[in-house]
């Protein structure tokens, strides 16, 4: 065990040294959602070409942790209930039009919010929504919890587990900061006569609950010292209360009936809460319900997703819904269900939807939103002709260093330097060279160190 402790200290030293060289890890990206089989992560038997992905996970965990903890009470305006513990957000695509009010000077913001009519402009984000940023804080918390739990599973370094446990405790359980288990005031539409409640679309604000469930299962199944019985029971109790609200309140039920990505994420979220509660049969039922109802009409025979294609940002929404489909399939697989090959009413499924989305140019949208589902489909269905690997290699030569590459296996790294820890995006990509010497050479031993630690434990 002394050797294992020495190895862990070596890993910690390498990570500390890496803080002076931030360019050595892939820049942080928040994934809309995903789910990693906890057994795979905890077993630590990762393919040799995932060193770059492992390194990025560790760096992302270190990048996110100092930014927390996050709390639902951190907002400048109280929700209509007057209780700061109630989650609150404003509709992101709603914009005011004050022209009919006859004002000759600019209105103060509180008057704009209450007196000006608001209109929906699909896909056009109103930046003042983030003045109340429960949504952004929840997403940041989920990312930090997920990355730190993965980092703990990979290395056994306890500060990562402690970070994840602390962030969950502050957001969900600590009396002074805990979120009430409902989304009554999520994505509220501002303006006169709008009432005092949110909209069903606001249930999407907690879309990344699968990442939180994933983190809790890793800490729970890995028997982390920092995942105490009190924390575990506290999260079970919180999620039980949320599920009662989520499956009975009319706003949430409207979201359950949504035929597009909203419905896809609703069932991912519901199954994730059931996983935390340890209600395996209900989690299975949530996944079954999604694939036998909502999913059935989401994909046409040629692989198009018409409900996403009609939006103002179709490239984004195709990828966005694909990620929800894949998250549901991965949760189902963990629960012993196979919906990867499940086809909808017109005979097409996840693979066909991904293949079609790959044929559509992103134009002004972010092309990288599709990379995560490409790797997931390639790992599950295979890539015998290299179609998926070649697409990613041409679009993003850094893809083997993306965290999703670790759990999207088996999948080719296309022989890219990014598959190795210590790769640098400053390399001469045309020559395929990477920066040599210095800390880069040190990080080349990271997979061996992690493997040694796993063998000793």
């Amino acid at each position: 065990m002394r050797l294992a402790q020495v190895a862990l200290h070596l890993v910690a030293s390498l990570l500390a040294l890496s803080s002076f060289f931030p360019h050595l890890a892939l820049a942080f990206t928040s994934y809309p959602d995903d789910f990693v089989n906890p057994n795979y992560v905890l077993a630590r038997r990762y393919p040799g070409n995932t060193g770059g992905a492992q390194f990025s996970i560790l760096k992302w965990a270190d990048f996110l942790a100092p930014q927390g903890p996050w709390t639902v009470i951190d907002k400048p305006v109280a929700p209509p209930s007057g209780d700061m513990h109630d989650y609150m957000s404003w509709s992101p695509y709603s914009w005011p039009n004050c022209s009919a009010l006859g004002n000759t000077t600019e209105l103060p913001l509180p008057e704009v919010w209450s007196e000006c009519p608001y209109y929906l402009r699909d896909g056009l984000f109103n930046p003042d929504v983030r003045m109340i940023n429960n949504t952004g804080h929840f997403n940041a918390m989920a990312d930090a919890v997920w990355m730190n739990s993965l980092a703990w599973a990979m290395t056994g370094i306890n500060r990562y587990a402690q970070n994840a446990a602390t962030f969950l405790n502050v957001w969900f359980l600590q009396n002074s900061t805990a979120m009430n288990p409902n989304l009554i005031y999520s994505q509220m539409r501002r303006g006169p006569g709008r009432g005092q409640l949110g909209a069903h679309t606001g249930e999407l604000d907690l879309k990344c609950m699968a990442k939180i469930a994933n983190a809790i299962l890793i800490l729970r199944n890995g028997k982390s010292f920092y995942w105490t019985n009190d924390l575990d029971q506290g999260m079970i109790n919180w999620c039980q209360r949320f599920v009662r609200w989520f499956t009975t309140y009319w706003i949430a039920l409207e979201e359950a009936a949504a035929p597009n990505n909203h419905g896809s994420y609703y069932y991912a979220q519901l199954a994730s809460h059931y996983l935390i509660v340890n209600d395996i049969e209900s989690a299975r039922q949530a996944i079954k319900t999604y694939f036998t109802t909502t999913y059935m009409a989401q994909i046409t025979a040629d692989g198009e997703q018409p409900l996403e294609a009609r939006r103002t940002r179709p490239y984004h929404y195709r990828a966005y819904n694909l990620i929800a489909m894949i998250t549901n399939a991965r949760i189902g697989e963990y629960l012993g269900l196979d919906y990867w090959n499940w086809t909808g009413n017109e005979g097409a499924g996840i693979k066909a939807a991904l293949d079609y989305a790959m044929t559509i140019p992103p134009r002004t949208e972010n092309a990288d939103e599709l990379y995560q589902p490409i790797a997931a489909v390639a790992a599950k269905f295979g890539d015998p002709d290299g179609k998926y690997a070649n697409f990613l290699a041409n679009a993003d030569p850094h893809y083997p260093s993306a965290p999703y590459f670790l759990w999207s296996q088996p999948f080719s790294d296309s022989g890219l330097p990014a598959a190795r820890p210590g790769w640098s995006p400053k390399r001469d990509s045309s020559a395929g060279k990477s920066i040599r010497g210095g800390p880069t050479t040190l990080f080349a031993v990271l997979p061996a160190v992690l493997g040694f630690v796993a063998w000793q434990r």
Side-chain angles (χ1 to χ4, degrees), residues 26 31 50 52-54 56-57 60 371 396 398-407 418 423:
L26 196 68
Y31 302 152
T50 63
Q54 294 175 53
S56 288
I57 290 170
W60 288 14
Y371 302 165
D396 176 21
H398 308 152
Y399 81 86
S401 68
Y404 65 69
F405 189 77
L406 176 65
W407 55 86
W423 72 279

Side-chain angles (χ1 to χ4, degrees), residues 121-169:
R121 301 172 69 182
D122 184 43
L124 188 60
F125 188 86
N126 186 342
D128 84 344
V129 165
R130 287 295 182 252
M131 293 181 68
I132 296 178
N133 201 22
N134 280 178
T135 306
H137 293 157
F138 179 83
N139 288 340
M141 181 273 297
D143 284 329
V145 166
W146 194 37
M147 286 296 129
N148 276 269
S149 69
L150 289 169
W152 172 76
M154 287 165 44
T155 66
I157 297 175
N158 279 325
R159 65 180 169 88
Y160 291 121
Q162 185 178 21
N163 288 339
T166 297
F167 300 151
L168 288 169
N169 182 55

Side-chain angles (χ1 to χ4, degrees), residues 202-281:
E203 313 314 289
L204 198 60
D205 284 7
L206 264 60
K207 65 181 181 296
C208 53
M209 199 69 192
K211 293 189 281 191
I212 288 177
N214 204 177
I216 289 174
L217 290 175
I218 289 170
L219 297 173
R220 179 190 288 164
N221 296 355
K223 296 179 170 48
S224 166
F225 171 80
Y226 286 98
W227 192 247
T228 64
N229 290 334
D230 286 345
L231 284 176
D232 196 57
Q233 191 58 53
M235 285 304 304
I236 289 172
N237 293 341
W238 193 97
C239 289
Q240 285 174 332
R241 293 165 62 201
F242 184 88
V243 164
R244 284 195 293 270
W245 181 87
F246 204 51
T247 56
T248 58
Y249 198 78
W250 66 269
I251 291 179
L253 293 179
E254 282 190 359
E255 187 76 343
N260 63 354
N261 65 80
H262 283 264
S264 305
Y265 281 101
Y266 174 90
Y267 285 105
Q269 188 181 155
L270 181 59
S272 298
H273 281 93
Y274 281 132
L275 284 175
I276 296 171
V277 170
N278 272 325
D279 188 346
I280 301 305
E281 188 49 46

Side-chain angles (χ1 to χ4, degrees), residues 302-324:
D302 62 357
E304 175 62 291
Q305 300 174 68
L307 298 176
E308 313 306 331
R310 69 180 58 163
R311 302 291 296 274
T312 55
R313 293 189 292 151
Y315 186 92
H316 158 74
Y317 280 107
R318 287 188 188 97
Y320 193 61
N321 194 43
L322 268 165
I323 290 169

Side-chain angles (χ1 to χ4, degrees), residues 345-367:
N345 293 332
E346 298 191 26
I350 291 173
K351 184 178 183 298
L354 184 278
D355 288 345
Y356 184 90
M358 288 172 61
T359 68
I360 308 298
R363 295 188 172 89
T364 59
E365 299 185 62
N366 294 330

